[in-house]
């Protein structure tokens, strides 16, 4: 969820009105920047016209016993976050997205999740906030839990709009907004290698050797700065190598969604450019948090793209018993993606990092700053100041006092900075007018509130 002041819009700015459950269902991936699979998505509505505000996404708990407390927590989180930013929601639109498994059907998913939908409604109802629509999206169809009219919401569900044919798709294409793949596909780009057991075993062996050689030096203290300097130098070499091999241009369908496998092709090419021992040495070196903080200075300009590709590649190399070592490269990937204006990718990377280690301070700080709507430029200025103080992250030894001061500055910025509106192109900010059978939403093509992921 993000806090932003109400933007001012020119009179001739393009707007889109969403008039039905079908248009709401079609708008969801454009609101989030990807297709949220296996997710509860809540969207706050504000004002008489029901303008869409903060977005909150959480994976659907597997056990129905968790649904009641989770629904209460989600309602409290969304409301408290909105109130903290000065605007209590006037209503809610909710989406339950889950594909069927083990021979089940979309209608079966709808029936199974109906108690969760009701718990979400009662959770917000206890806070005197109406839920105007709850949609279940599954197997290419959607169902409304709120509309009793079978003429518009039949029991067998309604097919989702064909890609690229809706008014939201047209407006988003005009605004230059692109939808990624599903959440599962985006997470797969950051998860440990799967498939070839032999390849994973070789990488794990390289990690064992690097850990045996570097961890005692890091913990010993006297060689810690040398390990940090060599880690940063090796990372810089890998970034230069990646920069010399531009990623393949992703092909997109009519809906603006990246065609399946295109990003994977780029990832495979990047993996081939990095040897197992090279990846292992940098992964182990980044476990020193001061070294990782120095690596975070590669967050803009020509460094941003190769750095992001490197951190993604290193996260994929954290195989077997080294899965938790991925927290550092995942956090760096989230930071660089956010700094570059790629909010969906940042949400996914930081979410995976905190899933592996909920106590990881750097990921917590970035996640908090992201959810509070902080302009990343504020943190970039802090990083630039640290870079000037300590010199190039490649050639200078790590200075503990300067790094600690940078962390304190980040914490202070996150807690006290004035919320600023970020400038990257993002999904338009819809408005939704309460009323059955569905909410009506008006979307401005630019300048609206941006969605971020809350929850765990």
């Amino acid at each position: 969820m993000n806090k932003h002041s109400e933007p001012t819009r020119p009179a001739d700015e393009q707007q889109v009105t969403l008039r039905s459950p079908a248009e709401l269902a079609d708008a969801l991936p454009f609101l989030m920047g990807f297709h949220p699979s296996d997710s509860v998505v809540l969207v706050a509505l504000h004002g008489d016209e029901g303008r869409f505000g903060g977005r909150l996404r959480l994976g659907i708990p597997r056990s129905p016993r968790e649904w009641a407390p989770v629904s209460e927590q989600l309602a409290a989180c969304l409301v408290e976050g909105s109130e903290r930013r000065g605007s209590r929601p006037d209503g809610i639109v909710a989406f339950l997205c889950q594909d069927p498994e083990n021979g089940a059907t979309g209608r079966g998913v709808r029936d199974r999740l109906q108690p969760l939908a009701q718990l979400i409604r009662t959770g917000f109802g206890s806070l005197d906030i109406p839920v105007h629509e709850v949609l279940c999206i599954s197997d290419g169809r959607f169902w409304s839990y709120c509309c009793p009219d079978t003429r518009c919401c039949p029991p067998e569900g309604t097919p989702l709009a064909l890609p690229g044919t809706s008014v939201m798709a047209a407006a988003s294409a005009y605004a230059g907004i692109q939808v990624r793949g599903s959440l599962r596909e985006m997470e797969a780009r950051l998860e440990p290698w799967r498939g070839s057991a032999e390849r994973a075993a070789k990488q794990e062996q390289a990690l064992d050797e690097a850990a045996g050689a570097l961890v005692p030096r890091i913990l010993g203290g006297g060689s810690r700065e040398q390990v940090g300097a060599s880690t940063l130098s090796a990372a810089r070499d890998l970034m230069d190598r990646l920069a010399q091999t531009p990623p393949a241009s992703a092909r997109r369908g009519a809906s603006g969604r990246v065609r399946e496998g295109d990003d994977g092709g780029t990832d495979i090419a990047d993996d081939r450019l990095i040897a197992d021992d090279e990846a292992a040495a940098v992964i182990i070196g980044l476990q020193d948090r001061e070294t990782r903080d120095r690596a975070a200075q590669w967050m803009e300009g020509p460094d941003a793209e190769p750095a992001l590709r490197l951190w993604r590649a290193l996260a994929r190399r954290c195989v077997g018993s080294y899965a938790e070592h991925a927290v550092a490269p995942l956090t760096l990937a989230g930071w660089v993606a956010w700094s570059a204006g790629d909010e969906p990718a940042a949400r996914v990377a930081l979410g995976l990092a905190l899933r592996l280690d909920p106590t990881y301070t750097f990921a917590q700080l970035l996640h908090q700053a992201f959810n509070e709507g902080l302009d990343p430029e504020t943190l970039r200025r802090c990083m630039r100041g640290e870079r000037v103080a300590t010199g190039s992250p490649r050639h200078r030894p790590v200075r503990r006092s300067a790094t600690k001061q940078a962390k304190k500055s980040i914490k202070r910025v996150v807690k006290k900075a004035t919320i600023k509106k970020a400038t990257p192109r993002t999904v338009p900010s819809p408005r939704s007018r309460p009323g059955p059978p569905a909410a009506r939403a008006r979307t401005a093509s630019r300048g609206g509130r941006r969605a971020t992921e809350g929850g765990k």
Side-chain angles (χ1 to χ4, degrees), residues 99-424:
D99 285 329
E101 296 180 354
N102 300 324
T105 63
R107 187 170 179 177
V109 172
R110 181 208 65 174
D111 294 341
R112 185 172 57 82
L113 295 180
Q114 187 164 5
L116 176 57
Q118 184 59 34
L119 287 167
I120 290 172
R121 298 178 71 182
T122 56
F124 281 100
S126 66
L127 300 174
D128 296 325
I129 298 175
V131 177
H132 298 296
E133 184 58 90
V134 184
L135 295 180
C136 175
I137 300 177
S138 179
D139 199 22
R141 290 177 174 266
F142 72 87
W143 290 261
S144 170
Y145 289 114
C146 300
C147 177
D149 190 345
T150 58
R151 293 173 296 180
C152 62
C153 298
E156 65 273 15
T158 304
L160 294 171
L162 293 174
T165 61
S166 69
V167 63
M168 187 67 173
S172 297
Y174 178 80
I177 298 166
Q178 297 174 333
V179 177
R180 307 300 179 82
S182 69
L183 175 61
R184 188 174 294 109
E185 291 168 348
M186 294 180 70
E187 288 180 341
R189 300 190 67 193
L190 300 165
E191 292 175 340
W193 280 343
R194 297 176 182 176
S196 174
E198 180 181 359
R199 182 175 69 164
K202 289 181 179 179
Q203 181 61 69
E204 187 168 11
Q205 181 180 357
L207 286 163
D208 286 338
E209 295 172 357
L214 298 178
V215 170
R217 297 177 61 192
I218 294 174
L219 298 179
S223 302
R224 181 180 182 185
E225 292 185 350
Q226 295 177 3
V227 174
S230 63
T231 297
L232 294 169
S233 180
R236 179 78 258 185
D237 289 340
L238 293 176
M239 286 171 53
D240 292 343
R241 191 183 305 168
L242 291 170
Q244 294 170 7
T245 308
S249 299
R251 295 171 296 169
R252 299 182 182 271
S255 65
R257 178 175 176 176
V258 175
R259 294 182 183 176
E260 185 175 357
D262 282 8
D263 283 335
T266 296
D267 294 342
I268 291 172
D270 289 349
D271 290 339
R272 290 172 177 168
L273 293 173
I274 303 173
D276 292 344
D277 59 340
E278 293 175 322
V282 178
I283 289 169
I284 299 301
L286 288 176
Q287 303 312 303
D288 177 65
R289 298 188 179 186
E290 293 175 4
T291 303
R292 177 215 59 202
D293 289 347
R294 300 289 304 283
Q297 296 171 13
W298 293 316
M299 77 290 185
E300 59 185 343
D303 287 337
E305 182 183 76
L308 182 57
R309 291 166 61 190
L310 175 60
W311 306 143
R312 284 172 172 164
L314 295 182
R316 294 191 294 271
R317 300 289 187 115
C318 295
V319 297
S321 60
Y322 290 88
E324 291 187 358
H325 285 62
V327 177
L330 284 172
T331 303
L332 290 170
W335 160 236
V336 177
W338 180 36
S339 177
D342 190 346
E343 294 185 8
R347 283 197 295 273
V348 172
L350 291 176
L352 288 175
L354 290 173
R355 187 185 303 173
L356 288 170
D357 185 356
T359 67
Y360 199 72
T361 303
F362 190 29
Q364 287 178 330
L365 290 172
L366 292 174
H367 195 252
Q368 182 183 353
F370 191 89
N371 286 342
E372 292 295 335
L374 188 68
D375 189 336
E377 175 59 22
T378 309
L379 298 185
R380 283 196 295 264
R381 285 198 298 268
C382 179
M383 293 288 185
R384 294 188 199 109
E386 171 71 355
R387 184 165 55 203
V388 171
T390 61
S392 167
R394 178 172 185 170
H395 300 294
R396 297 290 184 89
V398 177
R399 289 173 46 183
R400 180 175 303 179
S401 59
T403 303
K404 286 186 176 180
Q405 185 59 41
K407 288 184 178 180
K408 291 180 180 179
S409 298
I410 293 174
K411 291 180 180 179
R412 184 169 56 251
V413 165
V414 170
K415 292 180 179 179
K416 298 182 178 181
T418 301
I419 301 301
K420 298 181 180 180
K421 183 177 177 63
T423 57

